[in-house]
Amino acid sequence: MATLIDGKAISTQIKDELKEKVAQLKAEGTKVTLAVIQVGNDPASSVYVGNKKKACEYIGINSLAYELPEETTEEELLKLIGELNERADVNGILVQLPLPSHIDEDKVIRKIDPSKDVDGFHPQSVGALCIGQKGYVSCTPAGIIQLLKRSGIEIAGKECVVIGRSNIVGKPMALLLLRENGTVTVAHSRTKDLKEVTKRADILIVAVGKPKMITKDYVKEGAVVIDVGIHRGADNKLCGDVDFQDVEGVCSAITPVPGGVGPMTIAMLMSNCVESVL
Ligand code: NAD
């Protein structure tokens, strides 16, 4: 039977550590403030923004909410980010994605001062990660490294396969595993014989965006499986990119959906916010 990697418990542990740190900083006269900008009212984005606010409250981080109407222009959004960049009392800036189609996401990301880029999406943050320099790391992959480390799973020297090459999950994930001395392979939609590649993995990270695509046929006996996917099925239940029931019999450890990677993303965002004042 596979060990369940409990992202809920590990994320709570991290948030409790951060809460202590924030209280200590407050006692020394330093406040942590995160500005969260949402444009429009996409329901999924509203849930994510709400969860981020709740996490800030729990830890003791001030959150400034900017809920802008759908018709906000790119110019108006860039102007607001410019103002927040200048404000000494704002440590982190987060723009909830996706943005309405009339706004260029790349332009918006590039406008955020890299010293306040707590999502880790700015090209300067990504470049720093690539060459092993200090900078904010994208929250979901950073959370996965914490899940592995805090579960006592060694990365150094292991065959690590990441399925997916997106800018927010797959690519930074591969770079982080490399930083931890894993031997890393990135598989994607053009990979030939995916099963042959994934069956080499001691640690398999699945960020493919396809519900329950990864069955036991893709997994080596005893591998660690991390499921990044989140989907709501026709039965209204959440599931991941991995067919949990099928895979749990062959792997040594696995993350559930929900309660695996998801809660870690917000915990690492909070961690980046605290880092912004250190
Ligand atoms: P994406 O759609 O940007 O990228 C998917 C990647 O999978 C692509 O790089 C593509 O090459 C690859 N791919 C697609 N079909 C494939 C196939 N048949 N074989 C091999 N590779 C294939 O998705 P993303 O933003 O990286 O997100 C991936 C999943 O993770 C989604 O389900 C998303 O909802 C979820 N997600 C979860 C969190 C979290 O906090 N838990 C955060 C971000 C994303």
Side-chain angles (χ1 to χ4, degrees), residues 140 164-166 169 188-189 207-210 228-231 241 262 265:
T140 301
R165 57 176 161 181
S166 70
V169 186
H188 47 79
S189 53
V208 78
K210 304 239 156 59
V228 187
I230 312 180
H231 311 274
D241 291 347
T265 300

